[in-house]
Amino acid sequence: MATIIKPTVGNIQLAKEHLSNSNLVAVPTETVYGLAANALDVEAVLQIFKIKGRPLIDPLIVHVSSLEQAKLYCHMNPQAIALAQKYWPGPLTMVLPKKDNIPGVVTANLDSVAIRCPSNRVFRNLLESLPFPLAAPSANPFGYISPTKAIHVSESLGDKIDLILDDDDSEIGIESTIIDLRNGHQPAILRPGPLTQKAIEAEFNLKLTTPQQVVESKSAPSPGLLKSHYSPSKPLDIVKLTEIEAMITKDTLKESAFILNKRPVKLSQSVQNIFWLSESGEMEEIAKNLYALLRNVDKMDYQRIIVETIKAESVGIALMDRLTRASER
Ligand code: TXA
Ligand code: MG
């Protein structure tokens, strides 16, 4: 069973040794917890796929400690450098032409690599201490909800790994924004995330191709990306607040869990099957709590989960993307 370790100097050293010996370590990041291995070590990387039950056609993100380190593993262009300078370290992953030193197993034999420089201090300390980058997908079984706490990793992968480096709750709570920058002049958002399309477009005075347009053009660069789910084991539906109120009244047997954006103003004591993602509806708070609440509710005895529609603006776009995938069955 995995040991959850606090990020002391000694424990970061332990994690470092573990990774240097071809083993995996679950690590905290500002987005979600990751399952890390030496990205240059084929055997270690294969373990990631095996432990997650992830198909080999779904490539991994390579994590580096700096733009300088990123340049060792991919071919940067001026647009990518500008974005890195603005948003790294942080929740931005860029897809770029790969260099030969990244093994094919990491990128599902694509000639591009997804690269990210994270901001979480503990993860950065670890990356800075290592002479190699870390390949790390979210630390959940393939298709399940991403983890935002060490205990989430322990609950679903604890019997398959040795070490989980614990740095409390992930600060952001949803996965990084992924941008395809292979062609610097025509960047495309592949996965909406904490860093919004609007923010990037405003900062750089450019127009990003949307995930929808990528799907329609059938030019998705990774087969894994656009299909991936983030689903609880119970059926999930996204419903407008006005309709939820009627559903709550009808659900006299309390078979459904209702997840609202914010604390309801009036709440009768008897309604235990109502949950909320934030006190006041603030988007960042909703993002931070979403996966933990979905995991909790999924463990309870409800037959289905009803989540209130989230306004599709700023981070809400990414949240609705994840919920829509979670609702697919
Ligand atoms: O916030 C995050 O990005 C977290 C933390 C741990 O860094 N990682 C994460 O990794 O969400 P993962 O493996 O769960 O999702 C990465 C996605 C996959 O859907 C994969 O298909 C896509 O990135 N991807 C990886 N390499 C790619 C490539 N070369 N081209 C296109 N998509 C790629
Ligand atoms: Mg994932």
Side-chain angles (χ1 to χ4, degrees), residues 74-96:
C74 63
H75 298 280
M76 288 268 172
N77 51 48
Q79 292 81 3
I81 290 175
L83 260 82
Q85 283 169 339
K86 173 75 190 167
Y87 299 113
W88 278 358
L92 168 67
T93 298
M94 293 193 278
V95 172
L96 290 162

Side-chain angles (χ1 to χ4, degrees), residues 4 26-29 31-34 139-140 145-157 164-171 173 288-296 299:
I4 298 182
V27 294
T29 93
T31 57
V32 298
Y33 275 72
N140 49 284
I145 308 161
S146 294
T148 56
K149 298 171 189 282
I151 188 79
H152 293 162
V153 183
S154 164
E155 281 167 2
S156 53
L157 298 177
I164 303 170
L165 197 51
D166 180 4
D167 189 34
D168 298 329
D169 295 2
S170 302
E171 206 181 307
K288 193 168 173 163
N289 293 326
L290 179 65
Y291 290 161
L293 186 55
L294 283 177
R295 279 175 175 259
N296 273 341
K299 279 192 281 189

Side-chain angles (χ1 to χ4, degrees), residues 265-320:
V265 189
K266 288 178 290 177
L267 186 68
S268 109
Q269 284 277 302
S270 61
V271 199
Q272 334 91 325
N273 56 336
I274 299 182
F275 305 84
W276 51 90
L277 291 163
S278 71
E279 287 301 315
S280 61
E282 204 231 345
M283 220 44 112
E284 275 70 30
E285 192 185 346
I286 293 177
K288 193 168 173 163
N289 293 326
L290 179 65
Y291 290 161
L293 186 55
L294 283 177
R295 279 175 175 259
N296 273 341
V297 166
D298 201 29
K299 279 192 281 189
M300 298 176 185
D301 283 334
Y302 300 107
Q303 293 184 9
R304 69 188 72 80
I305 304 173
I306 311 292
V307 187
E308 179 187 348
T309 307
I310 296 173
K311 200 167 179 189
E313 61 178 41
S314 81
V315 189
I317 295 172
L319 296 172
M320 279 303 281

Side-chain angles (χ1 to χ4, degrees), residues 92-113:
L92 168 67
T93 298
M94 293 193 278
V95 172
L96 290 162
K98 84 187 252 306
K99 290 193 175 169
D100 289 343
N101 47 10
I102 294 289
V105 61
V106 173
T107 65
N109 288 322
L110 297 171
D111 51 17
S112 62
V113 60

Side-chain angles (χ1 to χ4, degrees), residues 32-33 52 54 58 136-147 175 191 228-230:
V32 298
Y33 275 72
K52 277 188 60 104
R54 177 174 175 128
D58 195 359
S138 51
N140 49 284
F142 183 68
Y144 195 62
I145 308 161
S146 294
E175 305 82 355
R191 179 173 72 182
S228 57
H229 286 212
Y230 303 79

Side-chain angles (χ1 to χ4, degrees), residues 38-50 54-62 98 100-110 112-113 135:
N38 176 354
L40 310 181
D41 180 336
V42 172
E43 289 308 314
V45 171
L46 280 170
Q47 281 301 310
I48 294 182
F49 288 93
K50 191 168 165 212
R54 177 174 175 128
L56 287 162
I57 54 155
D58 195 359
L60 305 176
I61 297 176
V62 172
K98 84 187 252 306
D100 289 343
N101 47 10
I102 294 289
V105 61
V106 173
T107 65
N109 288 322
L110 297 171
S112 62
V113 60

